[in-house]
Amino acid sequence: MKPFLASLLESSLHSFQKLSSTHCHAIKHGYNSDVYVSNRVLDSYIKSGFLCHAHKMFDEMPHRDTVSWNTMISGYTSSGKLDKAFCLFTGMKRSGSDADGYSFSRLLKGVASAKRFDLGEQVHSLVVKGGHECNVYVGSALVDMYAKCARVEDAFEAFREVSEPNSVSWNALIGGFVQVRDVETAFWLFGCMEMEMMDDGTFAPLLTLLDDPMLCNLLKEVHAKVLKLGLEKEITVCNAMVSSYADCGSVSDAERVFDGLGGLRDLITWNSMLAGFSKLEQKDSAFELFIEMLRTRIETDVYTYTSILSTCSGEEHQVFGQSLHCLVIKKGLEQVTSVSNALISMHIQFPTCAMKDALSLFEALEGKDLVSWNSVLRGLSQKGPSEDAVKFFSYLRSSNIEVDDYAFSAVLRLCSDLATLQLGQQIHALATKSSFESNEFVASSLILMYSKCGVIKNARKCFEQICSTHSTVAWNAMILGYAQHGSGQVSLSLFSQMCNQNVKLDHVTFTAVLTACSHSGLVQEGLELLQLMEPVYKIQPRMEHYAAAVDLLGRAGLVNKAKELIESMPLSPDPMVLKTFLGACRACGEIEMATQVANHLLEMEPDDHFTYVSLSHMYSDAKKWEEKASVKKVMKERGVRKVPGWSWIEIRNEVCAFNAEDRSHPLCEEIYLMAEDLTQEMKWFDSDDQASLLDVNHS
DNA sequence: ATAGGGTTAG
């Protein structure tokens, strides 16, 4: 009868109706006081998620043994109700049942997932007191508990206490070092493990450490080992491999693993591939994959939507993004914080009315977290009126929300855009007070802020104070700072230091050094860097690099060389490159070439005022009044308006804004006299570079 | 009859 009952329970799982009818059936056959049968029923209720009902049944059971208590504890720890589990644990002792290895391992599992190190230590002492240390299950659970609490040394000690550690003990220990991202120790332990001991649980967490292009070769070695051990069909291993290959920048390898799985793929596999495409800017592939998921009725979840929403950026994805938003609402995921955060970031990137939509999403979100606040802050500082961003930052501070590294970094970038030193310094003080000063992103934003505000000395100080000397963003910021100051040689020497000290270079590094060369007239050096980018430094030049190089040549008066460079580009130049070229033509008085490129630009971007204004100025300079008039006419016909460029200066905590030919200030006469004096003085220094720099700033 | 480890996200 008992095996029959067991199989009946098995087939009744997850249906309350079936379970209770089986339960009744058992009672009818006189099994009510059979503790074995009762425990099986109890376990089935718990496995099916009917925890409350299980507890009621447990209370009414005529006989309870240790297994009954353990089953109940198990139910509470796996649903995260640690306090209830501990109540049962103490109740168990009071009613005379002794806790055994099962009780302790279940309890420790709950402690581990709640990361309650304090409770864990107490349980540990009870384990020792009860003499359960030699139980490998309890031992592994202890290792895992310390590992999850990031106490790797305690985990190691607990591991040493296990007399015959098995793969679970090893994996739990390695998992601890993975969690604290101690790559070296994690792989050292991996090397100490017997081959036969390694299983899927060993590889999955280790693979998550290999998330950098520099580690791609190691990833391939680990992959080879996975194949050697015949683990290539293990879903967790493959999922981790898809993510790691994507993080290492190799989509093709990620895709190969993904394709290799065929029908074995699960939701995490799809999500990992999707996130990979999205991260590596393969937007079309991401959209295709997502649509395939919908078409083939693969279930979608929160991860799916956060990934695909973050793929939608800017105008070209607005329509699709809005349909996605509808889909999110339909699935009832709009109030899930991570999804809503992705929606906020997406809407901020849309060109029209986006800030308003993003703000109303933010306000409607019940469970706002730091990411939500920072997404709005970043959006406002990039797109919104800067004053609103500053206001939002004070709002954040007054709301008792923690200001973290993301927030500091965003608001400092804002200060550098505004070139407002006083606000920047105040925020620097706040960052110092909350110890974010040495965070690489905060420090980089400080560097940019001080450089932009003209205090390169303080920028340098921030650079020196940074914790990690291997922070690419910090080096990039410092190189750019010196570039803006016209200290191109300093930028270049920082660049070679970066190479010597094995700091990772990225595409921003090259934008920064090329800018440095351009601002200091280092033509040969700049061109050489551009040429070496791909073959030596393994970084593919992007549009901004070509634009910087065109600028470099244009400033040096080498328009023809700039033209050659554009013609030799592997991709067709984008408007940014062409606008830079147009500027170069204008500066060199190459009217014919300028007209050609301008016509091309007018086709690409008929609504952008830049091209019209450049042409118009150039025709004025050349006194070609008819041409100038025709440009103005076309502008009028197309409804394009000149957007004046503003400058501003901070005087005694007050911002004074002005634009070219502005005569509205009460002290206007004196101001222009002073400007004239300064211009004369600069000419007197006979520095053509600085005079032309002044021109550029003015336009 | 009840137990321990592992994959996706600013």
Side-chain angles (χ1 to χ4, degrees), chain A residues 244-263:
Chain A
S244 299
Y245 273 125
D247 288 335
C248 288
S250 177
V251 217
S252 53
D253 286 311
E255 276 183 282
R256 206 172 308 147
V257 178
F258 179 83
D259 292 338
L261 273 170

Side-chain angles (χ1 to χ4, degrees), chain A residues 148-439:
Chain A
K148 290 257 164 57
C149 296
R151 311 283 303 211
V152 278
E153 278 171 23
D154 294 316
F156 216 142
E157 228 156 86
F159 177 81
R160 272 196 278 258
E161 293 296 318
V162 185
S163 49
E164 277 179 49
N166 60 17
S167 69
V168 178
S169 334
W170 278 95
N171 295 346
L173 181 62
I174 291 177
F177 289 96
V178 169
Q179 205 201 291
V180 299
R181 291 201 66 91
D182 182 345
V183 185
E184 228 165 89
T185 315
F187 273 94
W188 173 73
L189 285 167
F190 176 66
C192 296
M193 251 176 121
E194 307 262 346
M195 275 280 250
E196 307 77 67
M197 213 55 114
M198 296 175 184
D199 61 12
D200 46 348
T202 318
F203 286 95
L206 273 173
L207 283 164
T208 63
L209 292 174
L210 308 176
D211 58 355
D212 187 289
M214 302 269 284
L215 300 170
C216 200
N217 284 333
L218 184 52
L219 173 55
K220 291 193 167 155
E221 276 174 44
V222 175
H223 190 167
K225 208 152 199 172
V226 167
L227 294 172
K228 202 168 157 193
L229 291 167
L231 298 169
E232 71 277 4
K233 295 285 172 209
E234 291 295 335
I235 194 70
T236 52
V237 178
C238 291
N239 291 347
M241 267 195 306
V242 170
S243 302
S244 299
Y245 273 125
D247 288 335
C248 288
S250 177
V251 217
S252 53
D253 286 311
E255 276 183 282
R256 206 172 308 147
V257 178
F258 179 83
D259 292 338
L261 273 170
L264 296 174
R265 285 175 281 220
D266 68 1
L267 179 55
I268 297 180
T269 326
W270 287 87
N271 286 345
S272 305
M273 196 63 242
L274 191 65
F277 281 139
S278 172
K279 240 179 304 202
L280 294 167
E281 299 270 310
Q282 310 237 342
K283 292 175 188 271
D284 292 336
S285 306
F287 291 132
E288 242 168 66
L289 194 75
F290 175 72
I291 288 169
E292 197 185 336
M293 282 176 86
L294 294 186
R295 202 169 38 79
T296 54
R297 304 192 185 282
I298 308 281
E299 63 167 325
T300 50
D301 71 352
V302 172
Y303 289 96
T304 321
Y305 287 99
T306 47
S307 283
I308 196 69
L309 285 168
S310 70
T311 313
C312 296
S313 56
E315 209 170 346
E316 67 268 38
H317 303 126
Q318 186 155 7
V319 177
F320 189 65
Q322 267 147 356
S323 331
L324 280 174
H325 191 164
C326 297
L327 211 52
V328 165
I329 295 171
K330 205 168 134 193
K331 291 214 104 199
L333 298 174
E334 213 192 12
Q335 281 294 336
V336 176
T337 305
S338 59
V339 175
S340 183
N341 291 345
L343 280 172
I344 291 171
S345 304
M346 179 186 79
H347 278 285
I348 279 169
Q349 309 225 19
F350 292 157
T352 46
C353 282
M355 213 51 238
K356 225 179 74 206
D357 295 340
L359 277 171
S360 53
L361 275 167
F362 175 77
E363 271 154 30
L365 179 61
E366 281 154 30
K368 296 181 187 61
D369 66 0
L370 268 175
V371 181
S372 332
W373 284 86
N374 291 335
S375 303
V376 174
L377 184 63
R378 200 174 37 128
L380 281 173
S381 53
Q382 282 171 0
K383 290 218 131 191
S386 306
E387 298 77 33
D388 288 2
V390 177
K391 267 187 214 147
F392 191 80
F393 181 71
S394 348
Y395 178 38
L396 190 158
R397 294 230 312 137
S398 63
S399 307
N400 281 326
I401 307 289
E402 188 200 341
V403 181
D404 70 354
D405 44 347
Y406 284 85
F408 275 121
S409 172
V411 78
L412 284 165
R413 289 303 288 270
L414 184 71
C415 295
S416 67
D417 290 340
L418 290 170
T420 157
L421 181 60
Q422 301 194 10
L423 184 61
Q425 280 174 320
Q426 288 172 18
I427 290 169
H428 186 178
L430 287 176
T432 307
K433 222 162 105 184
S434 45
S435 319
F436 280 115
E437 193 181 24
S438 47
N439 170 283

Side-chain angles (χ1 to χ4, degrees), chain A residues 358-643:
Chain A
L359 277 171
S360 53
L361 275 167
F362 175 77
E363 271 154 30
L365 179 61
E366 281 154 30
K368 296 181 187 61
D369 66 0
L370 268 175
V371 181
S372 332
W373 284 86
N374 291 335
S375 303
V376 174
L377 184 63
R378 200 174 37 128
L380 281 173
S381 53
Q382 282 171 0
K383 290 218 131 191
S386 306
E387 298 77 33
D388 288 2
V390 177
K391 267 187 214 147
F392 191 80
F393 181 71
S394 348
Y395 178 38
L396 190 158
R397 294 230 312 137
S398 63
S399 307
N400 281 326
I401 307 289
E402 188 200 341
V403 181
D404 70 354
D405 44 347
Y406 284 85
F408 275 121
S409 172
V411 78
L412 284 165
R413 289 303 288 270
L414 184 71
C415 295
S416 67
D417 290 340
L418 290 170
T420 157
L421 181 60
Q422 301 194 10
L423 184 61
Q425 280 174 320
Q426 288 172 18
I427 290 169
H428 186 178
L430 287 176
T432 307
K433 222 162 105 184
S434 45
S435 319
F436 280 115
E437 193 181 24
S438 47
N439 170 283
E440 56 173 327
F441 296 101
V442 177
S444 306
S445 302
L446 280 168
I447 294 167
L448 291 174
M449 185 273 290
Y450 280 118
S451 329
K452 187 70 189 294
C453 296
V455 198
I456 194 80
K457 217 174 68 198
N458 288 4
R460 183 71 194 219
K461 254 190 214 157
C462 294
F463 179 66
E464 309 283 353
Q465 269 166 8
I466 213 157
C467 279
S468 157
T469 51
H470 285 273
S471 166
T472 304
V473 274
W475 283 84
N476 291 351
M478 201 61 247
I479 290 176
L480 200 62
Y482 283 115
Q484 286 167 343
H485 276 251
S487 312
Q489 292 293 0
V490 184
S491 295
L492 286 183
S493 90
L494 281 174
F495 175 77
S496 46
Q497 278 179 55
M498 248 179 121
C499 298
N500 293 336
Q501 297 176 22
N502 285 323
V503 183
K504 209 182 137 223
L505 309 175
D506 66 7
H507 65 101
V508 184
T509 317
F510 284 90
T511 312
V513 279
L514 286 170
T515 308
C517 293
S518 161
H519 284 243
S520 301
L522 303 165
V523 181
Q524 273 318 311
E525 291 84 343
L527 287 180
E528 198 172 302
L529 280 165
L530 181 71
Q531 273 160 11
L532 297 180
M533 265 183 84
E534 190 144 28
V536 174
Y537 300 102
K538 309 287 174 218
I539 294 166
Q540 226 177 32
R542 302 186 182 193
M543 285 300 169
E544 61 259 38
H545 301 115
Y546 289 110
V550 168
D551 187 52
L552 168 78
L553 293 166
R555 281 173 193 252
L558 304 165
V559 203
N560 285 312
K561 281 251 191 273
K563 189 167 176 255
E564 277 169 31
L565 175 66
I566 292 177
E567 282 160 358
S568 73
M569 279 170 65
L571 301 157
S572 57
D574 76 344
M576 182 179 40
V577 174
L578 295 179
K579 279 187 226 173
T580 313
F581 183 62
L582 176 59
C585 293
R586 189 191 146 194
C588 300
E590 291 283 348
I591 297 195
E592 212 163 293
M593 239 191 275
T595 312
Q596 249 176 33
V597 68
N599 284 333
H600 191 43
L601 267 168
L602 288 178
E603 267 171 43
M604 290 168 94
E605 295 190 324
D607 296 327
D608 189 344
H609 68 103
F610 176 89
T611 311
Y612 301 94
V613 175
S614 301
L615 270 182
S616 156
H617 278 303
M618 192 178 65
Y619 290 136
S620 304
D621 293 343
K623 304 203 170 22
K624 292 186 177 262
W625 309 116
E626 267 172 46
E627 285 86 343
K628 182 185 161 98
S630 80
V631 171
K632 289 268 175 192
K633 198 173 144 232
V634 178
M635 249 179 117
K636 210 169 178 181
E637 279 166 9
R638 298 188 180 169
V640 179
R641 301 188 54 170
K642 182 183 172 185
V643 180

Side-chain angles (χ1 to χ4, degrees), chain A residues 42 46 51-52 54-61 64-79 81-100 103-104 106-107:
Chain A
L42 194 66
I46 287 173
L51 193 52
C52 275
H55 202 145
K56 209 171 133 225
M57 177 186 162
F58 175 78
D59 284 339
E60 290 162 358
M61 270 163 69
R64 286 175 221 145
D65 63 3
T66 311
V67 176
S68 330
W69 287 96
N70 289 345
T71 307
M72 234 20 253
I73 291 175
S74 200
Y76 280 117
T77 50
S78 46
S79 60
K81 292 175 177 146
L82 200 53
D83 46 343
K84 293 258 190 192
F86 269 94
C87 280
L88 281 159
F89 181 71
T90 45
M92 175 181 195
K93 273 196 283 192
R94 228 178 303 133
S95 67
S97 297
D98 265 338
D100 60 6
S103 334
F104 283 111
R106 295 314 275 153
L107 212 51

